[in-house]
C-alpha cells in the first residue's frame, strides 16, 4: 500500500496513512506503521526476486545484459557523518548535506532488478562489483554482460569482473590515455559521422572502441574553445588563485601560469570522439552493437529521475538506518510498479497518474434513510487508455 501510494500521491508516511484512509478506506494505526516499517527489510530479497520474475514472465527478459549506475539521495539535515549518512560528491547539488549512495541494476528496458545502499562518501566505482555479485548469488543461472559508465572504470574493477567470468561494456576515459594511444586513434579514425574503430589497449585484455560523431564534435569544439579562452584570459590577468582546465604553473617560474600544451593537444585530437571499453570479441558483438548497448544507460538515468521526481524519494527525513533503507525499498517497489506500467502502456508515469486522478467518486448518504448514492466522474478517457486494459480484470 505504501509503494502504490508513491504512484498515486507521494507524501510523508503520516500523510500517506491519511490518504489511504480517505481515498481507499484502508486504515492503519500510525504507531504500528512506524514500528513495523523497518521490518520491511526482511523481505528485500523476496521483493527483488519478484522484480526478476516479473521481467522474465512479462517482458521475456533473458538477462543477457544489465545496466548499472549510481545516484545520491540527500537528507534535510546538517548532522555530522555517521556509519551511513555522510557528505560526499552530491548529484543533487547538496554538498553541504549528508547523503547516501544508491546503486541500481536494471534491464535493457530500464526495469529495476536490484538496489543497494552505501555510505554517502563511497566512491561509486567501488559499488558496482558488490551489486553485481549480490545479483549473481540470487540468480546463479544468469551471467549478464555488465554495462556501466566511465565512472565505474578502473583496472581493478575490470580485472575482478573478468576473474569472475563477466563480460562488460564500460565508458572509456580517453583523455587519461597515453599520448601515443591518442595519436593512434587520431590517425586511424576517419572523421566521418558514425565511423568507428576497435583497438587493443596496450597489454590489457580488453579493446577500446572509438566512434566519431559530428554532433558531438560541434559540442566538444564549442566547449574546447570556451575553455581555451578562459585559460588564456586567466594567464593574461595572472589569476593564480583560480583554476582552469588548460592552465598549469610554469616549472621555471613557479608563480607564473602557462598554457598546458600537452593537454590542449590531446583534447583537440579527441574532439568528436567517444570511447568504450569491452572484453567482448568483435565476432560476438560488433562495434555498433557495443555502442548501442552502452547508450541504453539512459534507461538507468531515467529510472533515477522517475524515482527522485515522480516518486519523491528525496529528501529523506528518517533518522534510523533501518528506516532509511526501508524508505528506499518502498520507493524501489514504487519504481518497479511505475516502470511496469510505463513499459506495458507506453505512457509516462506522469500520464498514468493523470489518468488515475480522472477516476473519482462521490458518496452521498441520506441521513434519514441511510441509503448511499455513488456519483462517478466521466472516465471515458481512462476506459479508452492502455492503462485500463492493463488494470482491468481478465
Amino acid at each position: 500500500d505504501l509503494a502504490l501510494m508513491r504512484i498515486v500521491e507521494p507524501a510523508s508516511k503520516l500523510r500517506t496513512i491519511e490518504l489511504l484512509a480517505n481515498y481507499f478506506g484502508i486504515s492503519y494505526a500510525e504507531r504500528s506503521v512506524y514500528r513495523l516499517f523497518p521490518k520491511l527489510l526482511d523481505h528485500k530479497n523476496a521483493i527483488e526476486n519478484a522484480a526478476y520474475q516479473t521481467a522474465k514472465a512479462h517482458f521475456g527478459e533473458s538477462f543477457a545484459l544489465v545496466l548499472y549506475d549510481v545516484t545520491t539521495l540527500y537528507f534535510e539535515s546538517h548532522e555530522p557523518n555517521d556509519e551511513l549518512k555522510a557528505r560526499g560528491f552530491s548529484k543533487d547539488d547538496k554538498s553541504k548535506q549528508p547523503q547516501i549512495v544508491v546503486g541500481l541494476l536494471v534491464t535493457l528496458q530500464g526495469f529495476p532488478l536490484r538496489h543497494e545502499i552505501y555510505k554517502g562518501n563511497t566512491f561509486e566505482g567501488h559499488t558496482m562489483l558488490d551489486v553485481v555479485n549480490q545479483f549473481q548469488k540470487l540468480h546463479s543461472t544468469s551471467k549478464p554482460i555488465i554495462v556501466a559508465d566511465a565512472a565505474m572504470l578502473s583496472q581493478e574493477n575490470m580485472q575482478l569482473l573478468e576473474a569472475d567470468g563477466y563480460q562488460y561494456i564500460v565508458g572509456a576515459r580517453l583523455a587519461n590515455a597515453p599520448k601515443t594511444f591518442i595519436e593512434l586513434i587520431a590517425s586511424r579514425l576517419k572523421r566521418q559521422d558514425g565511423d568507428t574503430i576497435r583497438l587493443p589497449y596496450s597489454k590489457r585484455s580488453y579493446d577500446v572502441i572509438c566512434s566519431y560523431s559530428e554532433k558531438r564534435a560541434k559540442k566538444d569544439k564549442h566547449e574546447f574553445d570556451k575553455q581555451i579562452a578562459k585559460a588564456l584570459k586567466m594567464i593574461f590577468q595572472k589569476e593564480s588563485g583560480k583554476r582552469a582546465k588548460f592552465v598549469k604553473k610554469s616549472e621555471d617560474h613557479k608563480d607564473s601560469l602557462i598554457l598546458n600544451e600537452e593537454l590542449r593537444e590531446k583534447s583537440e585530437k579527441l574532439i568528436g570522439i567517444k570511447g568504450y571499453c569491452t572484453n567482448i570479441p568483435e565476432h560476438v558483438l560488433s562495434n555498433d552493437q557495443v555502442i548501442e548497448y552502452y547508450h541504453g544507460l539512459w534507461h538507468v538515468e531515467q529510472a533515477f529521475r522517475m524515482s527522485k521526481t515522480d516518486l519523491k524519494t528525496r529528501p529523506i527525513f528518517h533518522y534510523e538506518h533501518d528506516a532509511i533503507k526501508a524508505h528506499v525499498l518502498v520507493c524501489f517497489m514504487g519504481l518497479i510498479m511505475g516502470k511496469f506500467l510505463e513499459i506495458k502502456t507506453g505512457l509516462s508515469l506522469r500520464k498514468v497518474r493523470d489518468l488515475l486522478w480522472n477516476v473519482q467518486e462521490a458518496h452521498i448518504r441520506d441521513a434519514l434513510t441511510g441509503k448511499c448514492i455513488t456519483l462517478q466522474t466521466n472516465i471515458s478517457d481512462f476506459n479508452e487508455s492502455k492503462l485500463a486494459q492493463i488494470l482491468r480484470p481478465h
Side-chain angles (χ1 to χ4, degrees):
D1 289 337
L2 293 176
L4 282 168
M5 286 305 295
R6 305 306 296 186
I7 294 177
V8 177
E9 185 177 333
S12 67
K13 305 301 177 296
L14 178 61
R15 176 62 176 162
T16 298
I17 295 168
E18 295 173 355
L19 295 177
L20 280 167
N22 292 341
Y23 294 161
F24 305 108
I26 300 173
S27 297
Y28 289 103
E30 177 187 341
R31 183 176 297 178
S32 66
V33 168
Y34 282 102
R35 179 172 55 85
L36 295 173
F37 187 57
K39 295 184 181 296
L40 181 63
L41 294 177
D42 296 338
H43 305 281
K44 180 176 183 291
N45 283 342
I47 291 166
E48 293 181 331
N49 185 56
Y52 179 91
Q53 297 300 334
T54 298
K56 187 175 180 180
H58 288 270
F59 307 127
E61 183 61 55
S62 64
F63 308 101
L65 185 145
V66 293
L67 314 173
Y68 180 75
D69 205 351
V70 303
T71 194
T72 56
L73 301 175
Y74 67 91
F75 294 79
E76 281 291 6
S77 71
H78 294 277
E79 295 177 357
N81 299 352
D82 62 22
E83 294 83 1
L84 183 63
K85 299 175 288 181
R87 296 181 182 89
F89 174 73
S90 173
K91 297 189 177 184
D92 298 316
D93 292 327
K94 298 283 184 177
S95 57
K96 294 183 179 180
Q97 291 169 266
Q99 64 181 20
I100 56 174
V101 172
V102 181
L104 181 65
L105 200 68
V106 307
T107 68
L108 192 57
Q109 289 180 293
F111 189 77
L113 296 172
R114 188 167 186 86
H115 80 286
E116 294 292 341
I117 295 173
Y118 303 92
K119 189 172 180 178
N121 58 4
T122 304
F123 170 57
E124 55 190 43
H126 294 161
T127 67
M128 180 175 67
L129 290 170
D130 181 55
V131 175
V132 169
N133 288 334
Q134 293 295 332
F135 177 80
Q136 189 67 36
K137 285 180 183 178
L138 288 177
H139 312 290
S140 57
T141 57
S142 302
K143 202 74 172 181
I145 296 171
I146 311 300
V147 184
D149 71 13
M152 308 301 156
L153 176 63
S154 73
Q155 296 298 334
E156 181 185 8
N157 273 358
M158 290 189 287
Q159 288 170 2
L160 289 172
L161 283 173
E162 289 173 2
D164 288 339
Y166 286 103
Q167 293 180 309
Y168 55 82
I169 300 170
V170 186
R173 289 175 168 165
L174 294 179
N176 295 339
K179 183 179 179 181
T180 53
F181 190 73
I182 293 175
E183 289 174 348
L184 180 62
I185 295 171
S187 64
R188 294 276 301 276
L189 183 63
K190 298 176 183 177
R191 294 186 178 264
Q192 297 176 357
D193 195 39
D195 191 40
T196 65
I197 57 168
R198 181 186 290 240
L199 301 169
Y201 188 67
S202 158
K203 297 179 181 178
R204 306 297 178 182
S205 57
Y206 60 84
D207 294 334
V208 175
I209 297 171
C210 299
S211 69
Y212 179 81
S213 162
E214 290 182 357
K215 182 178 180 181
R216 187 186 301 116
K218 291 179 182 178
K219 181 180 177 182
D220 290 352
K221 185 65 166 62
H222 175 76
E223 183 63 25
F224 176 81
D225 291 341
K226 186 170 73 171
Q227 291 289 346
I228 290 293
K230 179 180 178 181
L232 292 174
K233 179 182 177 183
M234 184 173 159
I235 293 169
F236 178 75
Q237 296 181 351
K238 299 180 180 180
E239 297 175 316
S240 57
K242 296 183 179 181
R243 299 180 65 181
K245 182 176 180 179
F246 295 106
V247 174
K248 69 175 184 178
K249 288 187 177 181
S250 172
E251 295 181 1
D252 299 327
H253 305 283
K254 295 295 183 181
D255 294 332
S256 62
L257 303 176
I258 60 172
L259 195 66
N260 189 331
E261 291 290 351
E262 183 179 355
L263 181 59
R264 183 200 63 76
E265 185 180 349
K266 287 173 65 174
S267 299
E268 192 168 25
K269 287 181 178 179
L270 291 174
I271 287 176
I273 299 174
K274 171 69 177 175
Y276 314 85
C277 297
T278 184
N279 62 341
I280 307 171
E282 189 170 5
H283 69 269
V284 176
L285 276 185
S286 68
N287 293 352
D288 289 340
Q289 287 175 311
V290 168
I291 295 169
E292 180 184 353
Y293 287 149
Y294 180 84
H295 287 174
L297 281 172
W298 72 267
H299 285 295
V300 197
E301 296 167 359
Q302 192 263 354
F304 277 134
R305 282 196 299 273
M306 180 195 295
S307 180
K308 288 182 175 182
T309 56
D310 294 324
L311 301 177
K312 298 290 190 290
T313 306
R314 63 174 185 185
I316 302 175
F317 295 95
H318 294 283
Y319 178 78
E320 299 294 334
H321 290 179
D322 282 353
I324 293 167
K325 294 176 181 178
H327 167 76
V328 176
L329 182 55
V330 165
C331 293
F332 178 81
M333 293 169 67
L335 182 60
I336 293 171
M337 299 171 186
K339 287 302 298 184
F340 179 88
L341 292 173
E342 280 197 347
I343 295 171
K344 281 287 188 178
T345 65
L347 304 172
S348 68
L349 187 57
R350 186 168 297 180
K351 179 61 177 177
V352 167
R353 183 174 290 155
D354 290 343
L355 287 168
L356 289 174
W357 272 106
N358 286 333
V359 182
Q360 297 187 26
E361 289 182 348
H363 294 216
I364 303 174
R365 184 178 298 277
D366 191 313
L368 296 177
T369 65
K371 184 178 179 180
C372 185
I373 301 173
T374 300
L375 302 177
Q376 191 178 67
T377 54
N378 186 339
I379 59 172
S380 58
D381 288 345
F382 175 81
N383 285 331
E384 294 171 2
S385 69
K386 291 183 179 179
L387 179 62
Q389 298 173 19
I390 298 297
L391 300 181
R392 190 177 292 122
H394 293 288

